[in-house]
Amino acid sequence: MVAPVRDRRAGFSRRRQYGQFLGYVLAVAGLVVGAVLLVASQFAPPLFAGLRMGVATVTVPASSAMMSIREAVAIVPDAINGWVFAHAENERMKAELAVARPLLMRARTIAYDNRRLRRLLELRDRDEQVVTAARLVSSSASSGRRFALLDAGRLSGVRPGMPVRAPDGLVGRVVETGPNAARVLLLADAASIVPVRRTRDGLPALAVGRGDGALDIRSVNATNVRFHAGDLFVTSGTGGLYVPGIPVARVARAGMDTVLAQPFAQPDRLDFAIVSRVFLPLPPAPPAQAALPQP
């Protein structure tokens, strides 16, 4: 006979009763196992350590797998965030780069100008023959003749024949002057001839302009002279125009008697140059006369 529905109690279900009974059994088993482990830890430490390591051996793979799953799940939001916002971040970085690139180029230009002007100032302070520092406002780098124009003339003390140089080397010499301008004959002009000497052995030579931006180095008073690529030539002071020791050119190709060379100073890359006084070596002292015997 089935009991009425209104008389059913919470524990009337067999399934619920079995569940409660199983819970009690597990609780009692847990207490017993805990008590056994407690007693083993106190009275049999080696046995307890073995049991602990056995449990750890069984649980470590599961713990490692769970850790890997948790790390993978934690990476997913970052990956989604990076994938969603990568395009916007890329566009922002491109905009910042477009703003920074002109500033970087300007900073490099300023640094280069500062280094070059500092060398020019050092040259002016070191050379006592300096007349003035002037700007090279133009140069004829593409025509058959090689001239440059300075923005300083007679009012600044510039006179024809004065050498013009840059920190890198000799530029040329002044050929015409006005009140506030001067015309400079560049080394590469075909009418330019500069006495030079080789730095490693003092070999005299002539640096002659070719009209194409380069120079010819020609031997003087000698034949079968061997020039090597990379030989350096400086002014020798012969002729009385240029101070000795100003860098002039470097040999581009090896050869005999006459070789191609490149000047150190490139007028098309200069904006300032120094005008110096004409170098006039002192004449040799007259030989001392022997003292006449007194009568």
Side-chain angles (χ1 to χ4, degrees), residues 11 91 136 143 187 218 265 271 276 279:
E91 292 297 329
L136 282 169
S143 64
L187 290 180
R218 301 176 182 175
D271 51 0
S276 301
F279 173 68

Side-chain angles (χ1 to χ4, degrees), residues 6-193:
R6 64 176 181 274
D7 293 337
R8 288 184 177 180
R9 297 185 300 272
F12 182 79
S13 174
R14 294 295 181 89
R15 182 180 301 174
R16 184 176 298 176
Q17 290 178 357
Y18 292 153
Q20 290 179 353
F21 176 74
L22 182 60
Y24 293 149
V25 171
L26 293 177
V28 172
L31 292 175
V32 172
V33 172
V36 172
L37 293 176
L38 180 61
V39 172
S41 64
Q42 294 294 327
F43 298 100
L47 178 61
F48 178 74
L51 294 175
R52 183 171 55 192
M53 291 306 300
V55 174
T57 302
V58 174
T59 58
V60 161
S63 300
S64 179
M66 293 299 296
M67 182 66 68
S68 300
I69 294 174
R70 185 171 60 184
E71 291 177 354
V73 173
I75 292 174
V76 170
D78 295 336
I80 295 176
N81 185 37
W83 182 78
V84 171
F85 296 101
H87 181 71
E89 185 71 15
N90 190 20
E91 292 297 329
R92 185 181 62 82
M93 294 180 65
K94 287 183 178 179
E96 292 179 356
L97 183 60
V99 174
R101 184 180 289 110
L103 297 177
L104 179 60
M105 297 299 297
R106 183 179 179 185
R108 289 178 176 174
T109 303
I110 293 174
Y112 171 76
D113 291 340
N114 287 339
R115 291 194 302 269
R116 183 171 46 80
L117 294 177
R118 191 179 299 113
R119 293 174 58 192
L120 193 65
L121 290 175
E122 292 175 356
L123 178 62
R124 186 187 65 178
D125 295 338
R126 186 173 62 249
D127 190 354
E128 297 179 355
Q129 300 296 322
V130 171
V131 175
T132 185
R135 184 186 295 272
L136 282 169
V137 295
S138 64
S139 62
S140 57
S142 60
S143 64
R145 301 302 304 273
R146 303 292 180 178
F147 290 97
L149 192 64
L150 283 175
D151 65 348
R154 291 192 300 267
L155 297 179
S156 301
V158 180
R159 297 293 183 268
M162 288 185 171
V164 180
R165 62 175 301 183
D168 296 332
L170 187 65
V171 176
R173 70 177 188 272
V174 178
V175 292
E176 296 177 4
T177 58
N180 59 352
R183 199 177 186 204
V184 179
L185 179 70
L186 301 178
L187 290 180
D189 189 85
S192 174
I193 301 176

Side-chain angles (χ1 to χ4, degrees), residues 289-295:
Q289 297 181 357
L292 299 177
Q294 294 295 331

